[in-house]
């Protein structure tokens, strides 16, 4: 088992900073997700842990031992890539077995280990096939089995589901979740998909431009985003963010007036989630014409324009109206978040 410590880890290429001063302890058996947009430094962080990139500064420790100078093969980590990286000339059985041969594991144990790993990802009926004869989801499961068979201290998964279609992503995500519970191995998972982060992680690290924005459980990050960037990145739809100003405890923006807020007077960004507001007959704090409506099955998403922002609210699935019809939206001040207009940092607790 493995605890991983990243102590002020940085990666620079000349003047470009890929990862800046990353400081975190990942607990033994924890499932940690690195989340952020393309180019935020999440994959670079993972590659430094794996030994595929050299850290420019800081220390990487696995079970208390500094591994900065160790080759990837000596770090006892198994990596699952977005591209599967399977050997096309080998069948599924030999692809899964390959890490055992490379590491010179007792050949007498190979068959048992391969079949155990293949059973975990439901590949028993495909062991004779070549990768070209498999679907994308099956190939990804071969890559997972090849990582499992090594019985590593750490799993590193780099966007493993991004090449799969939506339905396969859901089923494979469930499989990864179940595997992480069954194997109880420290796992670091990289994704730009916030749904994957929310459903898989024990803790999420949200990154932007190489800098950690917030670390916390999915619930903490969803309910109390540290800044406007995190608020806009987590949630489907993302949190509504409206620029305006507070005067005497009331937030004002075009077509918006929300009283009862505890904040100093001045410019702010107000945030609230679609499910934390209601469409009402009248008397709401937001009054504007409908910009668009989307039927989601279990709800109707109603959107209005407030200044330059599109504000979305979940209405009952039976709600019906036309574009440009006036609508009144009620937002409870207890569900409102305030962010600094300049820095984006959260205001208040």
């Amino acid at each position: 088992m493995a605890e991983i410590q990243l102590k002020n880890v940085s990666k620079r290429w000349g003047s470009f900073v890929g990862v800046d001063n990353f400081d975190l302890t990942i607990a033994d058996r924890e499932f940690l997700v690195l989340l952020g947009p393309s180019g935020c430094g999440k994959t670079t962080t993972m590659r430094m842990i794996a030994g595929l990139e050299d850290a420019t500064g800081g220390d990487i420790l696995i079970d208390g031992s500094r591994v900065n100078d160790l080759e990837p093969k000596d770090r006892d980590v198994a990596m699952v890539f977005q591209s599967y990286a399977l050997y096309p000339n080998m069948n599924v059985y030999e692809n899964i077995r390959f890490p055992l041969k490379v590491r010179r594991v007792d050949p007498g144990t190979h068959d048992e280990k391969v079949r155990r790993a293949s059973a975990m990802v439901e590949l028993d009926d495909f062991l004779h096939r070549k990768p070209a004869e498999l679907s994308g989801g099956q190939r990804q499961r071969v890559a997972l089995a090849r990582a499992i068979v090594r019985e590593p201290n750490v799993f590193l998964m780099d966007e493993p589901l991004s090449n799969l279609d939506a339905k396969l992503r859901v089923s494979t995500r469930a499989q990864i979740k179940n595997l992480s519970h069954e194997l109880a191995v420290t796992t670091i998972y990289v994704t730009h998909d916030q749904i994957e982060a929310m459903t898989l992680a024990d803790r999420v690290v949200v990154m932007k431009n190489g800098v950690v924005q917030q670390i916390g459980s999915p619930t903490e990050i969803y309910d109390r985003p540290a800044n406007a960037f995190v608020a806009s990145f987590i949630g489907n739809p993302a949190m509504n963010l409206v620029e305006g100003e507070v005067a005497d405890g009331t937030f004002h923006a075009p077509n918006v007036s929300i009283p009862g807020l505890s904040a100093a007077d001045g410019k702010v960004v107000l945030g609230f989630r679609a499910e934390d507001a209601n469409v009402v007959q009248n008397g709401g704090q937001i009054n504007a014409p409908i910009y668009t409506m989307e039927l989601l099955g279990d709800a109707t998403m109603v959107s209005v324009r407030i200044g330059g922002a599109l504000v979305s609210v979940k209405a009952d699935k039976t709600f019906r109206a036309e574009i440009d019809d006036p609508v009144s939206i009620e937002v409870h001040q207890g569900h409102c978040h305030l962010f600094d207009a300049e820095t984006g940092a959260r205001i208040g607790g």
Side-chain angles (χ1 to χ4, degrees), residues 279-294:
V279 174
V280 294
Q281 287 291 329
N282 50 57
Q285 302 99 323
I286 301 174
N287 294 278
I290 293 174
Y291 181 78
T292 188
M293 289 201 334
E294 298 172 277

Side-chain angles (χ1 to χ4, degrees), residues 91-93 96 118 121-131 133-135 138 141-142:
N91 63 22
V92 169
Y93 184 97
I96 297 172
S118 74
V121 293
E122 301 171 13
L123 282 173
D124 289 352
D125 295 336
F126 303 95
L127 292 175
H128 61 286
R129 293 194 187 180
K130 297 283 181 67
E133 302 172 276
L134 303 175
S135 69
Q138 289 163 343
R141 278 155 42 199
V142 176

Side-chain angles (χ1 to χ4, degrees), residues 77-281:
V77 301
M79 201 157 180
V80 180
F81 296 94
Q82 174 183 342
S83 61
Y84 316 139
L86 303 178
Y87 298 103
N89 59 318
M90 296 181 186
N91 63 22
V92 169
Y93 184 97
E94 290 300 328
N95 263 285
I96 297 172
R97 183 187 174 202
F98 189 76
L100 301 176
K101 294 167 70 175
V102 169
R103 296 174 73 83
R104 298 179 181 173
V105 174
D106 176 9
T109 66
H110 286 196
D111 189 66
E112 179 190 347
K113 289 177 182 291
V114 169
R115 292 188 184 278
R116 177 177 172 270
S118 74
M120 281 185 168
V121 293
E122 301 171 13
L123 282 173
D124 289 352
D125 295 336
F126 303 95
L127 292 175
H128 61 286
R129 293 194 187 180
K130 297 283 181 67
E133 302 172 276
L134 303 175
S135 69
Q138 289 163 343
R139 286 182 220 175
Q140 191 55 275
R141 278 155 42 199
V142 176
L144 284 169
R146 192 175 54 188
I148 291 165
V149 81
R150 280 193 50 192
E151 299 175 2
N153 269 336
V154 180
F155 280 125
L156 303 176
M157 299 188 183
D158 187 10
E159 304 258 16
L161 307 184
S162 58
N163 287 344
L164 306 182
D165 63 40
K167 187 176 179 182
L168 268 177
R169 273 204 301 272
V170 172
S171 60
T172 311
R173 189 171 72 222
Q175 201 158 39
I176 289 173
K177 179 82 170 177
N178 184 268
L179 276 172
S180 71
H181 173 76
E182 189 172 342
L183 295 168
V185 174
T186 307
T187 302
I188 301 172
Y189 186 105
V190 161
T191 185
H192 63 272
D193 185 326
Q194 51 93 15
I195 294 175
E196 286 178 26
M198 295 293 287
T199 54
L200 290 172
D202 296 321
R203 277 193 304 165
V204 180
V205 178
V206 184
M207 299 182 70
K208 177 188 177 186
N209 297 334
V211 178
V212 173
Q213 303 294 305
Q214 187 172 1
I215 301 169
S217 71
T219 302
E220 289 167 349
I221 285 177
Y222 188 85
D223 289 344
R224 303 186 66 74
N227 55 44
F229 171 78
V230 175
S232 69
F233 202 79
I234 298 289
N236 186 24
M239 183 180 286
N240 297 308
L241 296 174
V242 181
E243 295 181 0
E245 59 181 296
V246 172
D248 296 326
T250 298
F251 174 84
H252 298 281
N255 300 318
V256 182
S257 179
I258 302 177
L261 300 176
S262 300
D265 289 1
K267 290 185 177 180
V268 297
V269 175
L270 174 94
F272 65 92
R273 297 206 176 273
E275 67 268 26
D276 290 333
N278 302 302
V279 174
V280 294
Q281 287 291 329

Side-chain angles (χ1 to χ4, degrees), residues 291-305:
Y291 181 78
T292 188
M293 289 201 334
E294 298 172 277
L295 303 179
L296 305 179
D298 64 335
T300 302
M301 193 69 74
V302 180
S303 299
V304 300
R305 273 210 172 276

Side-chain angles (χ1 to χ4, degrees), residues 6-34:
L6 304 176
K7 295 186 174 182
N8 307 115
V9 171
S10 298
K11 179 65 180 180
R12 291 180 173 80
W13 292 272
S15 60
F16 177 76
V17 180
V19 176
D20 188 27
N21 205 33
F22 196 115
D23 195 59
L24 177 68
T25 296
I26 304 161
D28 179 31
R29 306 187 185 191
E30 182 174 15
F31 197 117
L32 184 95
V33 172
L34 302 178

